[in-house]
Amino acid sequence: LKQARQMKRIDKSHPHQKHFLSVLAIIKNESAYLPEWLEYYSLLGVDKIYIYDNESDDNTMEILKPYIDSGFVEYKYWPGQRQQLPAYKHCIETHKFDTTWLAVVDLDEFILPIKHGNIADYLRSLPKSVGQVSTPWLFFGSNGHVEKPSGLVIESYTKSARKIWHRKSIINPRLIFDAFVHVGVCASKTIYPNKNVIRTNHYYCKSWAEY
């Protein structure tokens, strides 16, 4: 509790972060999906994307270069096995005073605000007491595609599970004192919105060939 109170004081003392909403992802050989994913989040109110590259040997850097040059993406090479949580914790600690909100997602995950224009608009509508948004994690299947379709991921795969299996978080990084894959241990309030308000669409398998 003492640590939580200290973290709340830290949060109030840094009201003017450089970015309102940032996204964090660790990737490996996912260049085929990077352009859509990056453009999607740029259109939905994201100011900055932190990419941790876990030893990609495809054309990831070729895809990322214009986004890095523009300042939209901050890139870090991050080698080794089982590096998801270490990368998350490094980013949270390094950039906790740079961004008001940090969404932690994978390249097959697209946060979708249902009742707001974009993700940032939704976050701005929340009470100041909220330190973490635990979004419903909705799984999408193959949609009957055997081979990879030519269209966008979010347009090619429209059939999802009916029920929510788990959740993924958008966090205030100054109020998180431990991080896991799906959730952080938060010093402030965590809310659990309905899937018809905001959710994370998880395109976990795509076509059978890709899966």
Side-chain angles (χ1 to χ4, degrees), residues 7 31-32 41 52 80 85 89 95 135 145 167 174 179 192 207:
M7 294 180 79
S31 62
Y41 281 110
Y52 283 65
L85 279 180
K89 292 178 180 181
H95 297 292
T135 68
H145 293 293
R167 290 179 173 265
R174 291 162 308 288
Y192 302 87
S207 68

Side-chain angles (χ1 to χ4, degrees), residues 41-210:
Y41 281 110
S42 73
L43 292 172
L44 265 76
V46 171
D47 305 308
K48 190 78 170 183
I49 292 185
Y50 300 107
I51 293 289
Y52 283 65
D53 182 1
N54 186 222
E55 303 180 347
S56 294
D57 56 12
D58 60 0
N59 64 329
T60 286
M61 279 306 300
E62 179 184 344
I63 300 296
L64 286 178
K65 188 178 185 307
Y67 296 95
I68 296 170
D69 291 346
S70 72
F72 182 56
V73 166
E74 183 166 321
Y75 173 89
K76 189 170 186 63
Y77 186 70
W78 195 264
Q81 296 183 345
R82 300 176 182 173
Q83 289 299 307
Q84 189 174 21
L85 279 180
Y88 287 176
K89 292 178 180 181
H90 179 272
C91 185
I92 291 169
E93 181 61 27
T94 304
H95 297 292
K96 63 185 177 183
F97 297 125
D98 295 333
T99 186
T100 303
W101 290 99
L102 181 66
V104 184
V105 293
D106 295 326
L107 262 288
D108 58 1
E109 294 171 339
F110 294 75
I111 300 172
L112 179 64
I114 309 299
K115 296 186 177 182
H116 292 80
N118 58 44
I119 306 165
D121 289 343
Y122 167 76
L123 294 170
R124 288 190 177 97
S125 74
L126 301 178
K128 297 294 184 182
S129 59
V130 175
Q132 179 171 223
V133 181
S134 185
T135 68
W137 198 37
L138 188 62
F139 275 52
F140 284 72
S142 69
N143 242 81
H145 293 293
V146 176
E147 301 296 330
K148 181 183 177 182
S150 59
L152 297 174
V153 169
I154 60 175
E155 293 178 343
S156 299
Y157 304 99
T158 58
K159 297 179 181 179
S160 70
R162 293 181 180 179
K163 295 182 179 180
I164 298 299
W165 184 73
H166 209 343
R167 290 179 173 265
K168 291 292 292 264
S169 287
I170 307 171
I171 61 172
N172 177 334
R174 291 162 308 288
L175 295 176
I176 297 296
F177 51 88
D178 202 359
F180 302 95
V181 173
H182 289 267
V183 66
V185 180
C186 187
S188 190
K189 183 178 180 180
T190 297
I191 61 170
Y192 302 87
N194 184 278
K195 69 177 182 179
N196 296 319
V197 175
I198 189 170
R199 63 177 183 253
T200 298
N201 290 345
H202 184 204
Y203 301 93
Y204 79 102
C205 71
K206 303 183 179 71
S207 68
W208 284 111
E210 293 164 281

